[in-house]
Amino acid sequence: MRRTVFNEDHEAFRETLRAFIEAEVVPVYDEWFAAGQAPRDFYYKLGELGIFGINVPEEFGGAGLDSHKFEAVLYEETARAGVQFGGSGVHVLLALPYIKMLATDEQKKRYLPKFVSGEEMWAIAMTEPGTGSDLAGMKSTAKLSEDGTHYVLNGAKTFITGGVHADRVIVCARTAAPTAEDRRHGISLFAVDTKSEGYSVGRKLDKLGLKTSDTAELAFVDVKVPVEDLLGEENKGFYYLGHNLASERWGIAFGAYAQAKAAVRFAKQYVQERTVFGKPVAHFQNTKFELAACQAEVDAAEAVADRATEALDAGELTPAEAASAKLFCTEVAHRVIDRCLQLHGGYGYMNEYPIARLYADNRVNRIYGGTSEIMKTIIAKDMGL
């Protein structure tokens, strides 16, 4: 079936991106993997390539587009090459929507040019030790000073992707106590400068997968945050967080589909080259049937991912539709990647093969952005159940 989601501009971007990955990422990716993060200067290269500015208005140095299709191409091409762009996905997919939605004109003038160039990398800090998905239970606080010039931030965050290299972090903290009627009341968002006194990066967490994406613990001890760095209105942070969940879940869904597609590509190449009992593994009927079944699942996931992309660009992707796309694509990717690893035999368990890294990278897709169980709850509620 012919895809219609991409046009000539997207395909031209794909060619440029594929060449960039082959020249700048593939030769050094093993070093990044061993180090547990991409080097900081790599993000300047992404800035020069224009990756960070696609959806940023032209007046702030971006391309001024309003589409997620270029991000979709990025997901497909990084998966195809078996690489990750460090923690930069959070910079664009998660942080940018909040800046565009909440920042004042003055803030955008300060934030966005450096965002586009990669001079300032952004992350977002929501999760706290002991709270997990219960964001309403967060304990970090930000109290307004007596003179009203700044907030004093105290608390801790964990599982912060991009947290090691981040220059600014959107920190969620309580500026007021929850009410009896609404536990979610009283949370605010701040664009915190990581060079601030009292701000510290704790452990760089050792994850099962996504090894080149730096993930850290953060701590705040009497950090002074200027009132000029409050994003949006005080105490409305929880509602802002919910506003961008559809795009976040779309990103996870599309990324998972792209990983599944890449897994079939890796497995097909391997079974054609690997010889067993004097014949290529691809010669055996079981291999053909397994890959055919995987391809059928990938085709279905592609259709779901593409439909969600069109809906997102049109501003019509509902929370339930995003949840459905995430649930379906991540579950498909789980099955497909597992079967493709099996076709590699013992070599599939070795990190030198991209299928092994893909297996580990993919596992978190059914957890972050809302677990598969949460997605089912959202879908069922939308069904009136």
Side-chain angles (χ1 to χ4, degrees):
M1 295 178 287
R2 186 175 65 88
R3 294 178 82 185
T4 58
V5 70
F6 299 125
N7 62 28
E8 292 181 359
D9 291 339
H10 302 121
E11 296 305 330
F13 175 68
R14 186 188 302 279
E15 291 182 13
T16 299
L17 186 59
R18 188 174 295 183
F20 173 83
I21 291 171
E22 288 298 322
E24 301 288 343
V25 182
V26 172
V28 294
Y29 196 70
D30 286 345
E31 298 174 20
W32 297 4
F33 189 85
Q37 62 186 30
R40 178 62 180 84
D41 60 5
F42 173 67
Y43 298 134
Y44 290 109
K45 294 180 180 180
L46 292 180
E48 292 172 2
L49 191 64
I51 296 293
F52 298 149
I54 292 171
N55 292 323
V56 173
E58 292 183 46
E59 61 187 296
F60 303 116
L65 302 179
D66 188 20
S67 171
H68 287 78
K69 293 181 180 181
F70 291 94
E71 291 175 57
V73 172
L74 178 62
Y75 285 127
E76 289 187 335
E77 289 305 307
T78 51
R80 179 185 182 276
V83 301
Q84 297 278 338
F85 278 1
S88 63
V90 169
H91 183 71
V92 174
L93 182 64
L94 298 188
L96 182 58
Y98 290 103
I99 301 173
K100 292 175 67 176
M101 177 176 68
L102 302 175
T104 64
D105 289 341
E106 184 276 331
Q107 287 174 322
K108 289 177 181 177
K109 289 176 183 177
R110 282 194 291 125
Y111 300 153
L112 287 175
K114 293 180 181 179
F115 180 101
V116 170
S117 67
E119 183 179 346
E120 281 193 352
M121 294 300 296
W122 287 60
I124 184 165
M126 293 184 279
T127 305
E128 295 184 0
T131 61
S133 298
D134 182 20
L135 295 180
M138 70 175 60
K139 304 298 183 183
S140 295
T141 61
K143 297 182 178 180
L144 188 63
S145 62
E146 291 185 2
D147 61 6
T149 62
H150 63 274
Y151 292 85
V152 180
L153 175 65
N154 284 281
K157 300 289 182 178
T158 192
F159 303 147
I160 309 307
T161 301
V164 174
H165 283 319
D167 301 288
R168 276 196 185 268
V169 177
I170 299 174
V171 177
C172 312
R174 282 207 165 277
T175 44
T179 66
E181 297 78 21
D182 190 357
R183 294 178 63 240
R184 299 168 295 184
H185 172 77
I187 295 172
S188 300
L189 307 184
F190 300 91
V192 180
D193 186 338
T194 62
K195 296 186 294 296
S196 302
E197 184 177 353
Y199 180 103
S200 63
V201 178
R203 291 188 303 150
K204 181 165 73 71
L205 301 175
D206 184 17
K207 307 185 299 294
L208 170 67
L210 301 177
K211 290 291 190 179
T212 65
S213 175
D214 55 301
T215 302
E217 296 174 332
L218 307 179
F220 322 112
V221 179
D222 294 334
V223 177
K224 293 182 178 180
V225 183
V227 293
E228 292 81 8
D229 286 328
L230 171 69
L231 284 174
E233 295 184 41
E234 222 182 52
N235 301 328
K236 293 187 177 180
F238 192 94
Y239 306 99
Y240 297 145
L241 294 174
H243 184 84
N244 289 318
L245 279 175
S247 62
E248 178 183 353
R249 287 167 179 165
W250 163 82
I252 297 170
F254 203 99
Y257 140 70
Q259 289 177 325
K261 181 177 181 179
V264 172
R265 175 175 178 267
F266 296 145
K268 179 182 175 183
Q269 181 179 5
Y270 179 82
V271 299
Q272 288 176 327
E273 297 173 352
R274 172 71 170 164
T275 299
V276 177
F277 303 121
K279 298 178 181 180
V281 176
H283 177 82
F284 298 96
Q285 186 182 64
N286 179 67
T287 304
K288 296 176 182 179
F289 282 6
E290 283 292 288
L291 281 177
C294 287
Q295 183 62 53
E297 289 216 76
V298 169
D299 287 345
E302 181 179 86
V304 169
D306 285 356
R307 186 181 69 176
T309 303
E310 295 285 17
L312 183 63
D313 271 12
E316 299 172 354
L317 186 65
T318 68
E321 290 168 344
S324 178
K326 180 182 184 296
L327 176 66
F328 183 78
C329 291
T330 57
E331 294 292 339
V332 164
H334 162 66
R335 293 191 296 270
V336 167
I337 294 170
D338 183 76
R339 292 163 82 175
C340 288
L341 185 149
Q342 187 74 15
L343 288 172
H344 282 71
Y347 289 105
Y349 205 64
M350 301 296 109
N351 272 328
E352 65 184 277
Y353 282 79
I355 193 67
R357 299 179 183 182
L358 194 59
Y359 183 87
D361 290 348
N362 169 75
R363 185 59 185 87
V364 76
N365 289 333
R366 291 183 289 149
I367 298 173
Y368 66 5
T371 64
S372 290
E373 291 73 24
I374 294 295
M375 298 303 101
K376 292 174 183 176
T377 301
I378 294 170
I379 297 165
K381 184 177 180 180
D382 186 68
M383 295 169 65
L385 298 174

